[in-house]
Amino acid sequence: MGRRRAPELYRAPFPLYALQVDPSAGLLIAAGGGGAAKTGIKNGVHFLQLERIDGRLSASLLHSHDTETRATMNLALAGNILAAGQDARCQLLRFRTHQQKGKNKAEKAGSKEQGPRQRKGAAPEEKKSGAETHQEGVEFSVENLQAVQTDFSPDPLQKVVRFNRDNTLLATGGTDGYVRVWKVPTLEKVLEFKAHEGEIEDLAMGPDGKLVTVGWDLKASVWQKNQLVTQLHWQENGPTFSNTPYRYQACSESGTFLGLGTVTGSVAIYIAFSLQRLYYVKEAHGIVVTDVAFLPEKGRGPELLGSHETALFSVAVDSRCQLHLLPSRRSAPVWLLLLLCVGLIVTTILLLQSAFPGFL
């Protein structure tokens, strides 16, 4: 029996490192590139239109934004604003999409097979920074906004970027161990402090203004501005470490589910509160999974999900974006069960009355 494989939703012309989903417009945003090395590998951010065609979830290239010599390694999304980590800096991008006047919605023509489609006339190598795409009645444009250097180590690299709940601030972390908080969209710096000895691997901004950071120094810290509130140190509080390096490279949560990608290319979906594994594809990519993202349960999410309970997207250095669908585990709705029970009771009574005329 062959190895289980996940459907390939899209293949980019460059390694993929970052992924975001815009549920309101049904957009999947994938980014990456070959960096500044003169290898001929492009750098870009691809905007993919998610659609259901013949009952299957499909993605087609809507717009390719050229990022010149800079590969995008991490992304955060706030409405129609993207924060892109490119080398030692953060670049803000604004995208817009709407139907052209006098044009009908594009026909959903295509193969029954689940997989990538490219819209007519879309040529990634020809799309320049800030250019507009006009395809099948859709007008799409991407505009470069502010950019700022966010990491200042000898080998600087921004590793993570996150917006706060109301999208007025964003926080960045990188190889120098500093957290920096910036106003949106001016990117005026409002806070800077040393959070970790070594690289910051991940961070999150809470609704109460708190920050949570995780670093390569095996510490997870909670901050109120630049003041340490509490800290977990794995060497003291956590499980004993073996000589085996960590395997999880990318993580995403939907509130209900937890999606994981590993350095060996495997992808899994768990129930968030119990960590019961519901889905697993070993070495789905065969190489490090760089990011995963759920299709949100809002906007066009339910429409695109169809009969499935959730959908997880994964990207990797192999340039592929894969689709991982979790079939619905829900049983028959309660109202239907009650209706069946009432029907069974009525039928039983009628049969008993027929057999025993004096019954009831």
Side-chain angles (χ1 to χ4, degrees):
M1 186 174 179
R3 178 184 295 172
R4 181 183 181 186
R5 295 188 180 276
E8 181 179 305
L9 193 67
Y10 180 71
R11 185 179 298 190
F14 45 72
L16 291 172
Y17 296 107
L19 193 61
Q20 286 290 316
V21 182
D22 176 8
S24 61
L27 289 177
L28 181 65
I29 305 167
K38 297 181 179 180
T39 59
I41 299 176
K42 298 287 185 178
N43 299 291
V45 180
H46 281 191
F47 296 82
L48 309 171
Q49 186 68 64
L50 293 172
E51 300 168 292
R52 286 193 67 80
I53 299 176
D54 295 326
R56 294 174 180 267
L57 189 59
S58 177
S60 56
L61 180 62
L62 181 62
H63 181 85
S64 175
H65 179 71
D66 184 3
T67 57
E68 300 174 351
T69 61
R70 299 178 299 276
T72 299
M73 306 300 292
N74 43 84
L75 285 174
L77 179 64
N80 68 337
I81 301 292
L82 271 175
Q86 299 171 350
D87 300 328
R89 73 177 197 162
C90 182
Q91 171 74 60
L92 290 187
L93 304 169
R94 178 188 287 125
F95 61 91
R96 293 186 175 94
T97 179
H98 61 272
Q99 293 292 121
Q100 291 183 23
K101 292 182 179 180
K103 297 290 184 77
N104 294 326
K105 193 173 182 180
E107 287 186 359
K108 291 182 171 66
S111 168
K112 292 184 179 181
E113 293 299 318
Q114 210 160 236
R117 297 187 303 118
Q118 182 162 305
R119 291 182 180 269
K120 184 179 179 180
E125 64 275 11
E126 295 175 2
K127 305 297 181 187
K128 302 301 181 183
S129 175
E132 292 188 354
T133 300
H134 301 271
Q135 298 165 6
E136 298 181 351
V138 176
E139 181 179 289
F140 196 99
S141 63
V142 180
E143 175 188 4
N144 286 325
L145 301 179
Q146 299 292 328
V148 66
Q149 185 170 348
T150 61
D151 193 82
F152 296 88
S153 65
D155 189 16
L157 178 67
Q158 177 181 299
K159 299 200 69 178
V160 59
V161 58
R162 296 284 187 266
F163 285 96
N164 67 347
R165 290 292 181 91
D166 62 7
N167 300 330
T168 58
L169 299 171
L170 64 83
T172 60
T175 55
D176 65 2
Y178 277 81
V179 168
R180 295 176 175 92
V181 180
W182 315 82
K183 286 185 179 180
V184 178
T186 62
L187 292 186
E188 174 190 348
K189 185 166 61 180
V190 297
L191 183 64
E192 176 181 23
F193 63 94
K194 181 77 169 180
H196 292 274
E197 295 300 326
E199 302 181 13
I200 294 177
E201 188 66 21
D202 205 356
L203 60 82
M205 301 185 76
D208 55 358
K210 288 188 174 67
L211 277 162
V212 180
T213 62
V214 178
W216 276 26
D217 55 6
L218 303 180
K219 295 178 182 178
S221 304
V222 179
W223 307 87
Q224 185 71 58
K225 292 188 175 180
N226 60 350
Q227 298 300 309
L228 183 64
V229 176
T230 187
Q231 188 175 77
L232 171 66
H233 192 182
W234 271 275
Q235 289 179 333
E236 298 172 0
N237 312 105
T240 302
F241 281 89
S242 67
N243 293 325
T244 304
Y246 71 93
R247 294 175 57 83
Y248 292 113
Q249 173 69 14
C251 177
S252 175
E253 56 84 24
S254 69
T256 305
F257 302 104
L258 178 71
L260 294 175
T262 74
V263 295
T264 56
S266 302
V267 177
I269 299 174
Y270 296 80
I271 296 176
F273 73 90
S274 67
L275 293 184
Q276 176 188 348
R277 193 169 75 184
L278 303 176
Y279 174 99
Y280 179 70
V281 179
K282 183 179 180 181
E283 297 178 1
H285 287 274
I287 196 169
V288 58
V289 176
T290 48
D291 206 358
V292 292
F294 280 103
L295 179 64
E297 298 174 0
K298 59 183 179 180
R300 294 190 60 209
E303 167 199 339
L304 294 168
L305 271 176
S307 61
H308 294 92
E309 195 161 353
T310 193
L312 180 72
F313 305 101
S314 64
V315 292
V317 183
D318 62 4
S319 305
R320 293 176 171 87
C321 177
Q322 291 185 350
L323 172 64
H324 309 273
L325 291 169
L326 182 66
S328 178
R329 297 169 296 126
R330 298 184 181 94
S331 57
V334 174
W335 65 266
L336 181 58
L337 294 175
L338 291 173
L339 186 62
L340 290 173
C341 289
V342 170
L344 181 61
I345 292 170
V346 171
T347 302
T348 303
I349 291 173
L350 292 174
L351 288 173
L352 289 172
Q353 284 181 330
S354 175
F356 305 100
F359 181 76
L360 295 181

